[in-house]
Each structure stands twice: as structure tokens, then as C-alpha cells.
Amino acid sequence: MPLRIGVVGAGHMGRIHLEKLSAMEGVEVAGVIDVDCKRTEGLPFGEGIPCFTDYREIIGRTDGIVIATPTESHYEIGKAFLESGSHVFMEKPVTSNPREARELIDLAEKAGRVFQVGHLERFNPVFVRAMSDIREARYIEARRVSPFTGRSTDVSVVLDIMIHDLDLVLSIVKDRVKEVKAQGFSFVSEKPDMANAWIEFENGCVANLTASRIASGRERCITIFEKDRYFALDLLSGMLTVASQDKADGIKTVEHETAKADAVKLELTEFIQSIKGETKPSVRGEDGLSALVLAGLIEQHIAARSST
């Protein structure tokens, strides 16, 4: 029998998830839940899929659920589905605060259910390629900027887009944070629309992250420096440049062009495989919590600077 998967939220990301799930073999989209079912009208991949205005209407009728609603609703919806026995895929950020995330993690563990978080950059082929060679990062620089879309203004730029790079940094360094410094500014919304964070880890590694959702163009780059080489990743183009010390030429560079891949499809495929017991999520609830905690420290530092 096919796995019954539901989607809560028919906004931008929800429709993307719905499209990918609708095309997967062995998956039946049990329904989409949104306060406005008109959002699904006319979607070629939404034909025949029932729409509900209340997520409670589908509880008990799914094997797994994808939650792509505003962050403040993640905890309530995720808890309801985990308690009903459903596996949960939660869009980032995992919840509004660490306490809620911790409770969902514990609930999923107790129930023996998959709890995966949608940090999709982990599935970017250029990042996967680089991670196979990275040994010990000493300095990381990340820049993620995009034009203003009007989406996700319920959260700051830190929780909106910087959190992707926070998750990547934490997956690279794997050590405790020693110190955080940050600054941020509001421009078109009530929350910071641009931010810079300086993060020092216990092992001495430092990460410098910049994020903006009011830029004139798109850029998603991360560079990881080791003792004798660095990896420059363009997460948009898939280009990886590896530069290393060379006695003859000073610096030797090699470029690798990685294959294009559908990161959303890959993470959803892993979710389905995890439900079947064939694998385990690359991005667990604990990973979502770690990124959320670090994002909170950055937001606190921004708030403290703004109040002085």
C-alpha cells in the first residue's frame, strides 16, 4: 500500500512539497490543509487531492505529514500529529522557541516516529561534495542574500534565511559555541531584514555570516578555510573551488562543477525512506533545535545592541 502523506500549508513551500509528493511512486497525498483552499485550485498536481481548512480533519488518516505553515503554528500542529502516530516533516525553523522543539523531539522519540526538519541545503550536491573532503574548519564565511519577496516576515532574517547557513556551519564544526556577536537592521518589516553574525566555537573555529532579504540580487556562498586549503561553494550554481598551498605556484586551485539536483525532492525522498525504516533523517529534530538555539543567541545580541 502507498504511504499516505498530508501537507499542512498551501503557501509557497507547501505547494512545492505538494508537487514533489504528487509525483512520487508509492505515495498517496492524503490531503492538503489550508485556511484558504482556493490556493490549491488550478494546480495541475493538486487535482483530485482533498483540501481541508482544519488540520484536525485529517488526523489519524496519514502515515506522515509535511508542515509548511507559519513558524508560530509548528508546535501545535506537530504535536497533534505526533500524538496521533504520524511521522512529521517540519519546515524550518523547527518551532518558535527551543522549549517547543525539545518537547516535539522527546515526543517523537517516545512514539518511535520520524521527526525531520527541512534544512534543504544539506542536500545541495555542492555541499555534499565538499563535506566528503573537509577535515577541520578554522574559519567559515557565508553570505546569503535575496531580493524582498514579502514572505516569512513573521520572523527575522536570522530565522528566515540565515538559519540555513547556521545549520550548515553547525554540521561542519560540530563543537560548542563559545561566543556570539551580531548586528541587524530593519528596513521594510518590523523585524531585522539584514544581519551579520560572528560566531566563535570552543575549538577556535570562527564563522562570519551575512544575510539579507532586501538585496538587489541573489547570492548563496559559503567558504570553509582549513590550515592549508579552502573550499569555496556557490550554492546556487553548484560550483566548488578548492584552493590549496603549492610550493611552486603559491596557491593551486581546482574547480568542480557538481550536478544539479532537486533538494526538496531529495529531502522528501529521505523522509519517505525513513518512514519505511530504510534510512534515518540527515536533518533530525535535534539539528533543527541546535540551529534554533544559535539563531536565538544571534537575535538576542541584535536586540541588545538595538536597545543601547
Side-chain angles (χ1 to χ4, degrees), residues 8 55 67-80 90 94-96 100 104 154:
V8 188
Y55 68 85
I67 301 173
T69 58
T71 306
E72 63 265 20
S73 65
H74 284 186
Y75 168 73
E76 176 187 317
I77 299 172
K79 182 180 180 182
M90 188 82 77
V94 59
T95 53
S96 295
E100 293 176 345
L104 293 183
D154 59 313

Side-chain angles (χ1 to χ4, degrees), residues 32-100:
V32 57
I33 301 92
D34 196 275
V35 292
D36 183 8
C37 281
K38 291 183 178 180
R39 289 183 174 183
T40 64
E41 292 180 359
L43 296 177
F45 48 82
E47 294 180 5
I49 297 175
C51 182
F52 308 92
T53 57
D54 190 328
Y55 68 85
R56 298 173 186 84
E57 296 182 68
I58 203 172
I59 285 180
R61 299 163 60 181
T62 64
D63 298 301
I65 195 77
V66 173
I67 301 173
T69 58
T71 306
E72 63 265 20
S73 65
H74 284 186
Y75 168 73
E76 176 187 317
I77 299 172
K79 182 180 180 182
F81 278 98
L82 285 171
E83 289 179 338
S84 73
S86 181
H87 301 274
V88 170
F89 178 101
M90 188 82 77
E91 262 303 336
K92 61 81 193 167
V94 59
T95 53
S96 295
N97 61 69
R99 178 190 58 78
E100 293 176 345

Side-chain angles (χ1 to χ4, degrees), residues 89 91-92 117-129 131 143-146 160-169 171 218-222 233-238 261-264 266-267 282-283:
F89 178 101
E91 262 303 336
K92 61 81 193 167
V117 183
H119 285 288
L120 56 76
E121 289 287 26
R122 292 274 203 103
F123 296 84
N124 192 314
V126 69
F127 182 74
V128 174
R129 171 68 176 78
M131 283 296 287
R143 179 174 171 83
R144 182 176 296 261
V145 302
S146 301
D160 182 11
I161 64 175
M162 182 184 280
I163 197 165
H164 283 296
D165 293 321
L166 294 177
D167 175 67
L168 295 184
V169 167
S171 70
R218 297 177 72 216
E219 187 177 351
R220 297 178 186 174
C221 299
I222 183 168
L233 290 67
D234 187 326
L235 297 165
L236 285 178
S237 70
D262 188 332
V264 177
L266 289 173
E267 65 180 357
S282 300
V283 189

Side-chain angles (χ1 to χ4, degrees), residues 183-256:
Q183 58 183 354
F185 305 94
S186 301
F187 189 73
V188 294
S189 66
E190 295 182 358
K191 297 181 182 292
D193 297 305
M194 46 187 161
N196 175 262
W198 184 92
I199 306 159
E200 182 179 358
F201 292 86
E202 293 284 356
N203 65 0
C205 182
V206 170
N208 186 5
L209 282 63
T210 298
S212 172
R213 56 186 178 192
I214 54 171
S216 59
R218 297 177 72 216
E219 187 177 351
R220 297 178 186 174
C221 299
I222 183 168
T223 305
I224 303 102
F225 293 84
E226 296 186 326
K227 180 181 179 180
D228 54 1
R229 60 180 179 169
Y230 69 79
F231 302 80
L233 290 67
D234 187 326
L235 297 165
L236 285 178
S237 70
M239 185 63 68
L240 168 65
T241 301
V242 182
S244 56
Q245 297 178 6
D246 185 271
K247 291 183 179 179
D249 301 322
I251 297 179
K252 179 181 178 181
T253 61
V254 179
E255 291 188 341
H256 306 273

Side-chain angles (χ1 to χ4, degrees), residues 266-301:
L266 289 173
E267 65 180 357
L268 288 174
T269 298
E270 187 178 80
F271 180 53
I272 299 302
Q273 292 173 339
S274 296
I275 292 175
K276 294 179 179 179
E278 298 172 356
T279 188
K280 292 184 179 180
S282 300
V283 189
R284 308 161 301 151
E286 288 86 349
D287 299 307
L289 173 57
S290 296
L292 181 64
V293 169
L294 183 52
L297 293 174
I298 293 169
E299 289 191 320
Q300 288 171 23
H301 204 276

